[in-house]
Amino acid sequence: MESYKEQFIDFMVESDVLKFGDFTLKSGRKSPFFMNAGGYVTGSQLKKLGEYYAKAIHDKYGDDFDVLFGPAYKGIPLSVVTAIAYSELYGKEIRYCSDRKEEKDHGADKGSFLGSKLKDGDRVVMIEDVTTSGKSMEETVPKVKGAADVTIVGLMVSLDRMEVGKGGVKCALDEVKELYGFETNAIVTMAEVTEHLHNRECNGKVVIDDTIKAAIDAYYEQYGAKA
């Protein structure tokens, strides 16, 4: 596993963004782990988060893109901090763009988008926190495609939960890839998280002991996506 991935896993735990225990998800599923990207709140955390996204995007998609698009609301700060990090790490200016939940009908920046306008020929990387159902892409992809003649290069999320999406067979990232035809990737997968943290101390304690590992295994027996 790449070192930035191991560091990112530790970073999620240390930031109290990735937790282990007993959680009820929006879907109603009982999960032994939970990720809340809203837990990144300080300047140093956001700086590091942007750097991890930038490294993963560079690793998977290279430099051949122009815009980072972050769907409202959580995607807005993600696209901003990653664009900053990309400039600092790789010396390339990437524009950021996000959508508005409600269209603005006044002022110089009225319309459906924040940040840079999308232009014909733009190559776009979508950026999100975590995709469990792909629902946000249903709303976002038509907006992006309708704004200009752009190419969506791919999607990057922070964590692939590796559980079945709406179709009940494939994970949400694979469903998005199949539906829209662009690549989908995550900084880390839950398999990588489990491998890295099992019976290993992080932030002063073991967060995935044998009991939690057994609960994760049982969860994937029920909800894990088929390879």
Side-chain angles (χ1 to χ4, degrees):
M1 193 190 314
E2 294 90 335
S3 61
Y4 77 84
K5 291 189 174 191
E6 294 179 340
Q7 292 164 13
F8 180 63
I9 293 167
D10 292 342
F11 172 62
M12 285 193 290
V13 174
E14 291 162 1
S15 301
D16 206 27
V17 163
L18 181 61
K19 304 178 183 183
F20 298 90
D22 186 16
F23 306 95
T24 301
L25 306 179
K26 183 189 271 188
S27 63
R29 295 174 183 174
K30 301 284 188 180
S31 174
F33 58 92
F34 182 73
M35 189 201 126
N36 174 27
Y40 300 116
V41 294
T42 70
S44 62
Q45 286 175 334
L46 291 167
K47 183 177 186 294
K48 287 181 181 177
L49 181 62
E51 290 170 352
Y52 288 123
Y53 265 103
K55 288 176 182 177
I57 289 170
H58 188 266
D59 184 26
K60 296 297 184 181
Y61 301 125
D63 284 331
D64 188 18
F65 68 99
D66 311 289
V67 180
L68 282 168
F69 189 94
Y73 288 103
K74 287 183 179 177
I76 297 173
L78 291 179
S79 60
V80 172
V81 297
T82 304
I84 294 169
Y86 214 93
S87 173
E88 292 181 345
L89 290 174
Y90 303 110
K92 179 167 182 176
E93 295 292 2
I94 300 296
R95 291 145 44 216
Y96 101 91
C97 182
S98 297
D99 60 331
R100 302 179 192 266
K101 290 292 187 181
E102 294 90 22
E103 185 167 338
K104 186 178 178 183
D105 61 1
H106 62 280
D109 62 339
K110 64 182 179 180
S112 302
F113 297 97
L114 294 166
S116 172
K117 289 184 178 180
L118 294 171
K119 301 181 294 189
D120 289 350
D122 277 342
R123 292 175 60 79
V124 180
V125 170
M126 314 283 275
I127 185 168
E128 277 204 305
D129 56 347
V130 61
T131 297
T132 53
S133 69
K135 181 172 173 53
S136 63
M137 289 295 105
E138 290 178 15
E139 301 169 356
T140 305
V141 171
K143 282 186 182 179
V144 172
K145 291 279 195 178
D149 183 14
V150 304
T151 298
I152 299 178
V153 176
L155 167 69
M156 181 63 71
V157 303
S158 58
L159 176 68
D160 180 358
R161 288 183 59 99
M162 300 176 64
E163 60 193 81
V164 291
K166 293 189 302 180
V169 177
K170 298 180 178 180
C171 73
L173 286 179
D174 284 342
E175 287 181 346
V176 169
K177 179 179 179 179
E178 186 175 85
L179 185 59
Y180 298 110
F182 53 76
E183 291 296 312
T184 57
N185 286 285
I187 302 176
V188 292
T189 67
M190 267 309 296
E192 291 170 328
V193 169
T194 305
E195 174 191 341
H196 179 64
L197 291 178
H198 184 212
N199 281 336
R200 177 182 165 275
E201 196 170 286
C202 179
N203 205 27
K205 62 180 181 180
V206 174
V207 291
I208 300 184
D209 56 17
D210 289 340
T211 301
I212 295 292
K213 173 66 162 55
I216 292 172
D217 290 344
Y219 184 78
Y220 281 112
E221 280 291 319
Q222 186 171 5
Y223 298 117
K226 305 296 186 292

